[in-house]
């Protein structure tokens, strides 16, 4: 959805005086009060992608030019992978990066059907850092929509590219971006009957990949803390499934709670102060919380069934979980104190693994029906169920922090039927934009980080 | 049918154990049948090998079920008798599920199956302190592939000598 509406009033370049802050507004005109011209409303069904041209950022020397080209490449990748943008091929660009250090010749870009144009500049700072500046132009309305400058260490250039991508996404969609985020997941290798599983972390686009555990211990289902550089996950250290806390920076891990049985299916509360999980005792699995500050444990369900996969609503007042108390796995919602349990799934098949959206409006789930798995979403009141993707085996949805995109894993049988190829994918809420997330080896159980503070 | 599986898997285990001497092999039960000429040495008394070969170290469950079948009870009756014979042995019951469930639910289901076995052994007089339990969910299939036969052999609880 684009509208062409021009705002007048150009001004000289705003002097960049950055003091202690990392980010500065830059611009050829005052952006204060400017309304979005190129705009996508992603709350409305299918949208036509915006045609965007991401010019290599200008650099005066070869080093800066390399960074300028690479940063523009990451931005273009992020925007196109979102499904909301379509990139104009670089070989059709009518102006080169040095010409684009001045205001673009909009008419030349309009004839190519470009709607948005991203330009930028990379320059060295005296202290060795890079100064990276970008401008987002509305080609139709012929105005600058936003412009910002960042200062960063050279080896942090990808992060700046993600931050710029988020700024562009936010300016055009009105929604928070999700590119400056990371993913923890389980990296898999080895024979299918004794899989080696390691905790691994990477940027949301698969770069800056690193293993966090060595594979000697089976680990599963990592989940990010909303507030700290910590992960809660399941580890078979000592051959029993137990919930642990793992510090990403120090690599230190800690057993969570003093429970008289196996613990599994952990997830943080939205304030990061509690971990909610299942405790299995004498055949039954019930939902408990552990307060990370007081170490107080609390039991929330007490049924003779398997109650598992608890997930808080973003305001912390309710909990979605699955239970087979009614005879088969179904989704339930209850108050955070365990009261007022309501079943919300009533479709055919089994419903498992509810994950509450960070926006609060939807709950993602895994459905098993007729021997096939699917990922879908449903409203917390049980209405509006929609299946987004279906396969031999898909499982484990996790939300991007803006609640518009899900990541999950898919397993495909190998040709001999004995093994599985496991991959991470993203899908948007329309179900139309499904993308593979590159990983060095097989991958499962993804967990999306919150926006990096 | 179930009894035959137990026998086949028991022999296969001995083969695998000879090759690797690795206790992990317990959970995996390789697929090659034993050659007819293969004649294992008598397993050490009170060993995992003896349990697997002479008694039956595992029981099987229906789809999404954790109740003990008559065959399972017969196997566990023999296991309880065997544990009475070797009073110093302690065991861990490892519960497993087939691939047709979600990861977290299957950990709960494996726990349910291991607990059913543990309770039954305790009811037969095995001291609770000698029987521990754990669950591997769908993480350690005994048989690979997506066939009814593979699933049936993976829905199991295996008694492992500590």
């Amino acid at each position: 959805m684009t509208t062409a509406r021009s705002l007048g009033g150009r001004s000289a370049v705003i002097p960049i005086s950055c003091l202690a802050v990392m980010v500065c507004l830059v611009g050829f005109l005052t952006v204060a009060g400017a309304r979005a011209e190129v705009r996508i409303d992603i709350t409305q069904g299918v949208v036509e992608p915006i045609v965007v041209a991401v010019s290599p950022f200008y650099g005066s020397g070869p080093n800066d030019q390399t960074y300028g080209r690479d940063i523009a490449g990451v931005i273009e990748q992020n925007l196109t992978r979102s499904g909301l943008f379509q990139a104009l091929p670089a070989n059709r660009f009518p102006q080169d990066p040095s010409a684009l250090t001045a205001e673009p010749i909009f008419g030349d870009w309009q004839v190519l059907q470009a709607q948005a144009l991203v330009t930028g500049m990379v320059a060295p700072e005296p202290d060795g850092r890079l100064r990276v500046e970008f401008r987002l132009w509305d080609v139709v309305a012929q105005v600058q929509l936003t412009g910002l400058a960042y200062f960063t260490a050279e080896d942090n250039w990808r992060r700046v590219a993600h931050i710029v991508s988020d700024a562009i996404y936010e300016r055009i969609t009105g929604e928070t971006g999700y590119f400056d985020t990371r993913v923890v997941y389980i990296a898999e290798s080895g024979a299918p009957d004794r899989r080696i599983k390691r905790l691994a972390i990477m940027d949301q686009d698969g770069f800056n990949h690193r293993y966090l555990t060595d594979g000697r211990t089976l680990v599963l289902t990592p989940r990010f803390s909303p507030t700290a550089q910590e992960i809660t996950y399941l580890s078979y250290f000592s051959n029993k499934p137990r919930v642990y806390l793992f510090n990403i920076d120090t690599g230190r891990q800690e057993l969570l709670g003093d429970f008289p049985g196996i613990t599994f299916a952990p997830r943080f509360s939205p304030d990061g102060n509690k971990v909610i999980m299942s405790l299995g005792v004498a055949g039954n699995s019930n939902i408990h919380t552990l307060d990370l500050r007081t170490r107080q444990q609390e039991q929330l369900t007490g049924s003779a069934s398997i109650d598992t996969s608890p997930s808080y609503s973003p305001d912390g007042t309710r909990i979605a979980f699955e239970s087979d108390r009614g005879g088969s796995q179904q989704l339930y919602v209850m108050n955070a104190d365990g009261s007022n349990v309501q079943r919300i799934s009533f479709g055919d098949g089994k419903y498992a693994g509810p994950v509450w959206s960070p926006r609060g409006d939807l709950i993602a789930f895994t459905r098993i029906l007729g021997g096939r798995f699917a990922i879908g979403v449903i409203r917390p009141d049980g209405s509006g169920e929609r299946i987004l993707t279906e396969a031999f085996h898909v499982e484990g949805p996790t939300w991007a922090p803006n609640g518009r995109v899900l990541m999950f894993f898919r397993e495909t049988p190998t040709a001999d039927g004995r093994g599985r190829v496991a991959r991470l994918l993203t899908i948007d809420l329309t179900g139309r934009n499904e993308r593979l997330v590159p990983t060095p080896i097989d991958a499962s159980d993804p967990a999306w980080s919150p926006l990096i503070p | 049918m179930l009894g035959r599986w137990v026998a086949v898997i028991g022999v296969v285990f001995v083969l695998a154990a000879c090759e690797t001497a690795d206790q992990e092999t317990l959970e995996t039960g390789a697929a090659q049948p034993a050659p007819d000429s293969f004649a294992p040495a008598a397993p050490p008394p009170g060993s995992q090998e003896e349990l697997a070969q002479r008694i039956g170290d595992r029981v099987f469950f229906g789809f999404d079920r954790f109740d003990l079948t008559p065959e399972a009870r017969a196997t566990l009756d023999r296991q309880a008798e065997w544990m009475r014979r070797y009073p110093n042995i302690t065991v861990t019951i490892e519960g497993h599920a087939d691939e047709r469930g979600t990861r977290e639910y299957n950990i709960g289901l494996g726990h349910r199956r291991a607990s059913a076995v543990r309770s039954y052994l305790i009811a037969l007089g095995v001291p609770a302190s000698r029987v521990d339990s754990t669950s591997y969910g769908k993480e350690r299939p005994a048989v690979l592939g997506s066939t009814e036969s593979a699933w049936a052999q993976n829905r199991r609880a295996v008694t492992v000598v500590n």
Side-chain angles (χ1 to χ4, degrees), chain A residues 329 348-352 365-376 387-395 410-413 434, chain B residues 63 99-102 138 146 151:
Chain A
Q329 283 167 278
D348 292 336
K350 296 176 178 175
Y351 288 75
F365 59 82
T366 302
R367 185 193 69 183
I368 308 169
L369 176 61
R372 284 174 69 79
F373 287 68
I375 305 279
I387 295 299
L388 300 177
T389 186
E390 195 197 3
F392 165 79
H393 183 211
V394 285
E395 198 181 327
R410 182 161 69 203
E411 286 188 319
T412 310
E434 190 174 271
Chain B
F63 177 62
E99 66 180 1
R100 291 177 297 167
T102 43
K138 60 178 173 178
S146 303
W151 293 328

Coordinates of all heavy atoms in Angstrom, one line a residue, chain A residues 329 348-352 365-376 387-395 410-413 434, chain B residues 63 99-102 138 146 151:
Chain A
Q329 N -4.1 -34.8 23.6 CA -3.4 -33.5 23.8 C -4.2 -32.4 23.2 O -4.6 -32.4 22.0 CB -2.1 -33.5 23.0 CG -0.9 -34.3 23.6 CD 0.2 -34.5 22.6 OE1 0.2 -35.4 21.8 NE2 1.2 -33.6 22.7
D348 N -10.0 -31.2 14.8 CA -9.5 -32.6 14.7 C -8.0 -32.7 15.0 O -7.3 -31.8 14.6 CB -9.8 -33.1 13.3 CG -11.3 -33.2 13.0 OD1 -12.1 -33.3 14.0 OD2 -11.7 -33.1 11.9
G349 N -7.6 -33.7 15.6 CA -6.2 -34.0 15.8 C -5.8 -33.6 17.2 O -6.6 -33.3 18.1
K350 N -4.5 -33.7 17.4 CA -3.9 -33.4 18.7 C -3.2 -32.0 18.6 O -2.6 -31.7 17.5 CB -2.8 -34.4 19.1 CG -3.3 -35.8 19.3 CD -2.2 -36.8 19.6 CE -2.7 -38.2 19.9 NZ -1.6 -39.1 20.0
Y351 N -3.3 -31.2 19.6 CA -2.8 -29.9 19.7 C -1.7 -29.8 20.8 O -2.0 -30.2 21.9 CB -3.9 -28.9 19.9 CG -4.8 -28.7 18.7 CD1 -5.7 -29.6 18.4 CD2 -4.6 -27.6 17.9 CE1 -6.5 -29.5 17.3 CE2 -5.4 -27.4 16.8 CZ -6.4 -28.4 16.5 OH -7.2 -28.2 15.4
A352 N -0.5 -29.3 20.4 CA 0.6 -29.3 21.3 C 1.4 -28.1 21.3 O 1.3 -27.3 20.4 CB 1.5 -30.5 21.0
F365 N 1.0 -23.0 17.7 CA 0.9 -24.4 18.2 C 1.4 -25.4 17.2 O 1.6 -25.0 16.0 CB -0.5 -24.8 18.6 CG -1.5 -24.7 17.5 CD1 -1.6 -25.7 16.6 CD2 -2.3 -23.5 17.3 CE1 -2.5 -25.6 15.5 CE2 -3.2 -23.4 16.3 CZ -3.3 -24.4 15.4
T366 N 1.6 -26.6 17.6 CA 1.9 -27.7 16.7 C 0.7 -28.7 16.7 O 0.3 -29.0 17.8 CB 3.2 -28.5 17.1 OG1 4.3 -27.6 17.2 CG2 3.5 -29.6 16.1
R367 N 0.2 -29.0 15.5 CA -0.9 -30.0 15.4 C -0.5 -31.3 14.8 O 0.3 -31.3 13.8 CB -2.0 -29.3 14.6 CG -3.3 -30.2 14.6 CD -4.3 -29.7 13.5 NE -3.8 -30.0 12.2 CZ -4.4 -29.7 11.0 NH1 -5.5 -29.0 11.1 NH2 -3.8 -30.0 9.9
I368 N -1.0 -32.4 15.3 CA -0.7 -33.7 14.7 C -2.1 -34.2 14.2 O -3.0 -34.4 15.0 CB -0.1 -34.7 15.7 CG1 1.1 -34.1 16.4 CG2 0.3 -36.0 15.0 CD1 1.6 -34.9 17.5
L369 N -2.2 -34.5 12.9 CA -3.5 -35.0 12.4 C -3.2 -35.9 11.3 O -2.5 -35.6 10.3 CB -4.3 -33.8 11.9 CG -5.6 -34.1 11.2 CD1 -6.6 -34.8 12.1 CD2 -6.3 -32.8 10.7
G370 N -3.7 -37.1 11.4 CA -3.6 -38.1 10.3 C -2.1 -38.4 10.0 O -1.7 -38.6 8.9
G371 N -1.3 -38.4 11.0 CA 0.1 -38.8 10.9 C 1.0 -37.7 10.3 O 2.2 -37.8 10.1
R372 N 0.4 -36.5 10.1 CA 1.2 -35.3 9.7 C 1.2 -34.2 10.7 O 0.2 -34.1 11.5 CB 0.7 -34.8 8.3 CG 1.0 -35.7 7.2 CD 0.4 -35.2 5.9 NE 0.9 -34.0 5.4 CZ 2.0 -33.8 4.7 NH1 2.8 -34.8 4.5 NH2 2.4 -32.6 4.2
F373 N 2.2 -33.4 10.7 CA 2.4 -32.3 11.6 C 2.1 -31.0 10.9 O 2.4 -30.8 9.8 CB 3.8 -32.3 12.2 CG 4.1 -33.4 13.2 CD1 4.2 -34.7 12.8 CD2 4.4 -33.1 14.5 CE1 4.5 -35.7 13.7 CE2 4.7 -34.1 15.5 CZ 4.8 -35.4 15.0
A374 N 1.6 -30.0 11.7 CA 1.4 -28.7 11.1 C 1.7 -27.7 12.2 O 1.6 -27.9 13.4 CB 0.0 -28.6 10.7
I375 N 2.0 -26.4 11.8 CA 2.2 -25.3 12.6 C 1.0 -24.3 12.4 O 0.7 -24.1 11.2 CB 3.5 -24.5 12.4 CG1 4.7 -25.5 12.5 CG2 3.6 -23.3 13.3 CD1 5.2 -25.8 13.8
G376 N 0.4 -23.9 13.4 CA -0.7 -23.0 13.2 C -0.8 -21.9 14.3 O 0.1 -21.9 15.2
I387 N -3.9 -22.8 10.0 CA -2.7 -23.6 9.8 C -1.8 -22.8 8.8 O -2.3 -22.4 7.8 CB -3.1 -25.0 9.3 CG1 -3.9 -25.8 10.3 CG2 -1.8 -25.7 8.9 CD1 -3.1 -26.0 11.6
L388 N -0.5 -22.7 9.2 CA 0.4 -21.9 8.3 C 1.2 -22.8 7.5 O 1.6 -22.4 6.3 CB 1.3 -21.0 9.2 CG 0.6 -20.0 10.1 CD1 1.6 -19.3 11.0 CD2 -0.2 -19.0 9.3
T389 N 1.6 -24.0 8.0 CA 2.5 -24.9 7.2 C 2.3 -26.3 7.7 O 2.0 -26.5 8.9 CB 4.0 -24.4 7.2 OG1 4.7 -25.2 6.4 CG2 4.5 -24.5 8.7
E390 N 2.4 -27.2 6.8 CA 2.2 -28.6 7.2 C 3.2 -29.5 6.5 O 3.7 -29.2 5.4 CB 0.8 -29.0 6.6 CG 0.3 -30.3 7.2 CD -0.9 -30.8 6.4 OE1 -1.3 -30.3 5.4 OE2 -1.4 -31.9 6.8
A391 N 3.6 -30.6 7.1 CA 4.7 -31.5 6.5 C 4.7 -32.8 7.3 O 3.9 -33.0 8.2 CB 6.0 -30.8 6.6
F392 N 5.5 -33.7 6.8 CA 5.8 -35.0 7.5 C 6.0 -34.7 9.0 O 5.5 -35.3 9.8 CB 7.0 -35.7 6.8 CG 7.5 -36.8 7.6 CD1 6.9 -38.0 7.6 CD2 8.7 -36.6 8.3 CE1 7.5 -39.1 8.4 CE2 9.2 -37.7 9.1 CZ 8.6 -38.9 9.1
H393 N 6.9 -33.7 9.2 CA 7.2 -33.3 10.6 C 7.6 -31.9 10.7 O 8.7 -31.5 10.2 CB 8.3 -34.2 11.2 CG 8.5 -33.9 12.7 ND1 9.7 -34.1 13.3 CD2 7.7 -33.4 13.6 CE1 9.6 -33.7 14.5 NE2 8.4 -33.3 14.8
V394 N 6.8 -31.0 11.2 CA 7.2 -29.7 11.6 C 6.9 -29.5 13.1 O 5.9 -30.2 13.6 CB 6.5 -28.6 10.8 CG1 7.1 -28.5 9.4 CG2 5.0 -28.8 10.8
E395 N 7.6 -28.8 13.8 CA 7.4 -28.7 15.3 C 8.1 -27.4 15.8 O 9.0 -26.9 15.2 CB 8.0 -29.9 16.0 CG 7.4 -30.1 17.4 CD 8.0 -31.4 18.0 OE1 8.2 -32.4 17.3 OE2 8.2 -31.4 19.3
R410 N 11.8 -28.2 10.6 CA 11.1 -29.2 9.7 C 12.0 -30.4 9.5 O 13.2 -30.2 9.2 CB 10.7 -28.6 8.4 CG 10.0 -29.6 7.5 CD 9.3 -28.9 6.4 NE 10.2 -28.3 5.4 CZ 9.8 -27.2 4.6 NH1 8.7 -26.7 4.7 NH2 10.7 -26.8 3.7
E411 N 11.5 -31.6 9.7 CA 12.3 -32.8 9.4 C 11.8 -33.5 8.2 O 10.6 -33.7 8.0 CB 12.3 -33.8 10.6 CG 13.1 -33.3 11.8 CD 13.2 -34.4 12.8 OE1 12.2 -35.1 13.1 OE2 14.3 -34.6 13.4
T412 N 12.7 -33.9 7.3 CA 12.3 -34.6 6.0 C 13.0 -35.9 6.0 O 14.2 -35.9 6.3 CB 12.7 -33.7 4.8 OG1 12.3 -32.4 5.0 CG2 12.2 -34.3 3.5
P413 N 12.3 -37.0 5.8 CA 13.0 -38.3 5.8 C 14.1 -38.4 4.7 O 13.9 -37.8 3.6 CB 11.9 -39.3 5.5 CG 10.6 -38.6 5.8 CD 10.9 -37.1 5.5
E434 N 7.6 -18.5 3.3 CA 8.4 -19.5 4.0 C 9.8 -19.5 3.6 O 10.1 -19.6 2.4 CB 7.8 -20.9 3.9 CG 8.3 -21.9 4.8 CD 7.6 -23.3 4.7 OE1 6.6 -23.4 5.4 OE2 8.0 -24.1 3.9
Chain B
F63 N 0.2 -47.4 21.0 CA 0.3 -46.0 20.6 C -0.3 -45.1 21.6 O -1.5 -45.2 21.9 CB -0.3 -45.8 19.2 CG -0.3 -44.4 18.7 CD1 1.0 -43.8 18.6 CD2 -1.4 -43.7 18.5 CE1 1.0 -42.4 18.2 CE2 -1.4 -42.4 18.1 CZ -0.2 -41.7 17.9
E99 N 8.2 -41.7 17.2 CA 8.4 -40.4 16.6 C 7.1 -39.6 16.4 O 7.2 -38.4 16.0 CB 9.2 -40.5 15.3 CG 8.4 -41.1 14.2 CD 9.1 -41.3 12.9 OE1 10.3 -40.8 12.8 OE2 8.5 -41.8 11.9
R100 N 6.0 -40.2 16.6 CA 4.7 -39.5 16.2 C 4.1 -38.6 17.2 O 2.9 -38.5 17.3 CB 3.7 -40.6 15.7 CG 4.1 -41.2 14.4 CD 3.2 -42.3 14.0 NE 3.2 -43.4 15.0 CZ 2.2 -44.3 15.1 NH1 1.3 -44.3 14.2 NH2 2.3 -45.3 16.0
G101 N 5.0 -38.0 18.1 CA 4.5 -37.1 19.0 C 5.4 -35.9 19.1 O 6.5 -35.9 18.5
T102 N 5.0 -34.9 19.8 CA 5.8 -33.7 20.0 C 6.9 -34.0 21.0 O 6.7 -34.8 21.9 CB 5.0 -32.5 20.3 OG1 4.0 -32.8 21.3 CG2 4.3 -31.9 19.1
K138 N 11.3 -39.1 22.4 CA 11.6 -39.7 21.1 C 13.0 -39.6 20.7 O 13.3 -39.7 19.5 CB 10.6 -39.1 20.1 CG 10.8 -37.6 19.9 CD 9.8 -37.1 18.8 CE 9.8 -35.6 18.7 NZ 8.9 -35.1 17.6
S146 N 10.0 -45.1 9.5 CA 8.6 -44.6 9.9 C 7.7 -45.7 9.5 O 6.8 -45.6 8.6 CB 8.3 -43.3 9.1 OG 9.3 -42.4 9.5
W151 N 7.8 -48.2 14.9 CA 7.2 -47.5 16.0 C 6.9 -48.4 17.1 O 7.1 -48.0 18.3 CB 5.9 -46.8 15.4 CG 6.1 -45.8 14.4 CD1 7.2 -44.9 14.4 CD2 5.2 -45.4 13.3 NE1 7.0 -44.0 13.3 CE2 5.8 -44.3 12.7 CE3 4.0 -45.9 12.9 CZ2 5.2 -43.7 11.5 CZ3 3.4 -45.3 11.8 CH2 4.0 -44.2 11.1

